[in-house]
Amino acid sequence: TYACHKKSSNFKCFLKSTSMSVYSVSSEFHLINGGEVHRKIAYSKIGQIDAKNIFLCLPGLLETRESFNPLLSVVENYGDCCWVIIDYCGRGNSDQLPTSEQYSFSKYLADTEDLIKTLILPLKLDSSRKFHLIGTSMGGILAMHLVNRFQDKVSSVVLNDVGLYLHWSSLMSLFKNIKESDHQISKLRVDPRAINAVHSQSHFDLPYEFDLFGMQFYSLLQNFKGQVVLLHNAESPICSLDIANQSKSKYADLKIWTINKHGHPANWEKSTATKLAQMIKLKPRPLEKEKPEVIFDISEVVQTTSTISLDFVDAFLTTSKTYFESTTENRGQWVGQLFNRLRSWRSSFS
């Protein structure tokens, strides 16, 4: 995970790694047909795709699916949900772009749209089956564009530390610190060409409105009827409390969820994951009842079954005692003795 933290007037950027057992989940692949070149987009799918709530999780600029590990380790305790987490091209287990193509926001968006149309839209999405988007930083911007394109299909969108307004100064600081942290970023599972593309002016090639101070995304949500939640750190270099409030002033239905911390993006912790589940009204998975231990008492069978041979019962008890007292190597002899007794017992009724 790539994160930027504020220290005095400067931003300090560093890498964090997460390792959680829930992400030994195997990768699935979606094929992108690019004419002569076919490539695969990797994703994880936790839960059944026909669940009542389907979540598509979109990582940040230089993140992979692993960035959602802390969130998924908590919400997997909620029932009737399916979580789909994507690796953009050139990241994680997804294929890199051919050298003839450039990494860009429009490419990530097109790939994600293709996955949605193939995997999710064929399902019946209505009040009984809902589709949710969760986007971190760049993933949040992509999520807003997806909302704009699939408005009637999306029930809610959660934006992690990216508001409906982005200051030019914040972007410049972010790019500067990415450049200064190249030696750390090289440890990520990201194509070096994708990292270099971040510094290119053509990388952000999606439409947006702007003014002297920054980029605006209000219009992408203006006709959306679903729930929009903005999760952010109060002192984030990208989405501070001022930016969150400014977003709210332009989009009255926006729900602001502020965490009193520094840095970008907001970390998924148990408390934040639990609150997210409550906001979307997910129901906890019912606890499995322990099955009572069944104890087989041969004496009860003897009392209720008049046809059983007492000789057999005695033989069974004797040989079973031998079984449990013997070593593993000798237990095979016990099985043979028991079958011999069974044959003998059966012949007594012939």
Side-chain angles (χ1 to χ4, degrees):
T1 306
Y2 184 77
C4 295
H5 279 230
K6 185 176 182 182
K7 184 177 182 182
S8 300
S9 60
N10 298 320
F11 297 131
K12 182 181 179 182
C13 298
F14 62 94
L15 299 172
K16 310 181 288 186
S17 62
T18 55
S19 58
M20 306 192 77
S21 59
V22 67
Y23 306 100
S24 44
V25 176
S26 60
S27 295
E28 299 186 40
F29 295 94
H30 172 67
L31 183 65
I32 300 293
N33 187 349
E36 295 181 359
V37 178
H38 300 279
R39 55 188 173 82
K40 300 186 296 297
I41 294 296
Y43 66 94
S44 300
K45 180 165 61 65
I46 301 173
Q48 298 300 316
I49 194 63
D50 59 351
K52 289 184 178 179
N53 290 284
I54 305 167
F55 294 86
L56 178 61
C57 300
L58 305 172
L61 187 64
L62 297 177
E63 292 181 336
T64 64
R65 287 172 290 164
E66 294 174 356
S67 64
F68 282 98
N69 288 5
L71 170 63
L72 300 179
S73 65
V74 175
V75 295
E76 66 178 355
N77 296 324
Y78 293 86
D80 216 356
C81 297
C82 179
W83 301 84
V84 179
I85 316 94
I86 189 173
D87 273 339
Y88 306 121
C89 53
R91 294 155 172 82
N93 292 331
S94 289
D95 288 343
Q96 299 179 3
L97 288 179
T99 54
S100 59
E101 298 184 38
Q102 299 295 319
Y103 288 98
S104 65
F105 274 52
S106 62
K107 183 68 67 176
Y108 311 142
L109 182 63
D111 287 353
T112 306
E113 278 191 70
D114 201 88
L115 174 71
I116 292 173
K117 290 176 181 178
T118 303
L119 186 66
I120 297 171
L121 290 191
L123 301 168
K124 184 180 180 181
L125 300 173
D126 52 24
S127 58
S128 62
R129 179 175 292 122
K130 298 181 178 181
F131 176 38
H132 311 272
L133 294 168
I134 301 178
T136 301
S137 193
M138 181 190 76
I141 296 174
L142 296 179
M144 286 188 273
H145 279 275
L146 290 170
V147 164
N148 185 252
R149 301 192 184 194
F150 301 114
Q151 287 193 19
D152 58 331
K153 303 297 183 183
V154 181
S155 295
S156 73
V157 58
V158 177
L159 308 173
N160 184 342
D161 218 49
V162 58
L164 310 187
Y165 194 89
L166 244 152
H167 277 163
W168 299 122
S169 58
S170 297
L171 286 174
M172 293 305 101
S173 297
L174 178 62
F175 295 152
K176 176 183 176 182
N177 284 280
I178 289 175
K179 184 65 177 177
E180 291 175 353
S181 303
D182 279 348
H183 65 287
Q184 292 176 304
I185 292 173
S186 63
K187 301 175 184 176
L188 297 173
R189 291 194 300 149
V190 178
D191 181 2
R193 289 175 50 234
I195 298 172
N196 292 333
V198 170
H199 305 290
S200 169
Q201 292 182 353
S202 62
H203 188 247
F204 196 114
D205 58 349
L206 294 176
Y208 60 88
E209 297 176 0
F210 66 93
D211 57 23
L212 291 175
F213 301 101
M215 307 163 71
Q216 302 175 13
F217 307 106
Y218 309 116
S219 60
L220 295 173
L221 301 175
Q222 63 182 358
N223 297 317
F224 182 53
K225 304 301 181 184
Q227 184 180 41
V228 183
V229 178
L230 172 55
L231 163 66
H232 77 113
N233 287 328
E235 298 186 50
S236 165
I238 299 297
C239 187
S240 64
L241 188 56
D242 288 341
I243 294 294
N245 289 333
Q246 186 177 357
S247 300
K248 175 75 173 178
S249 69
K250 294 289 187 178
Y251 190 81
D253 293 332
L254 181 67
K255 293 187 177 181
I256 297 178
W257 176 7
T258 303
I259 299 175
N260 292 318
K261 291 186 178 181
H262 299 268
H264 170 77
N267 290 333
W268 287 111
E269 300 171 349
K270 184 175 182 180
S271 58
T272 49
T274 301
K275 185 174 179 179
L276 172 66
Q278 293 171 347
M279 293 177 76
I280 303 179
K281 299 179 180 179
L282 301 182
K283 295 182 179 179
R285 192 185 304 278
L287 297 175
E288 294 184 4
K289 294 182 179 179
E290 293 186 6
K291 295 181 180 180
E293 184 180 357
V294 179
I295 301 176
F296 181 73
D297 189 345
I298 194 68
S299 62
E300 293 180 6
V301 179
V302 174
Q303 293 172 6
T304 57
T305 310
S306 57
T307 57
I308 197 166
S309 166
L310 290 178
D311 289 339
F312 167 69
V313 173
D314 180 64
F316 181 86
L317 293 175
T318 301
T319 54
S320 63
K321 182 173 184 296
T322 303
Y323 177 82
F324 288 109
E325 291 179 353
S326 64
T327 62
T328 303
E329 293 77 6
N330 294 331
R331 287 179 181 176
Q333 298 179 5
W334 177 88
V335 176
Q337 292 176 14
L338 178 60
F339 275 104
N340 289 334
R341 297 282 187 173
L342 284 171
R343 294 189 190 95
S344 174
W345 175 61
R346 182 178 177 183
S347 63
S348 66
F349 289 93
S350 5

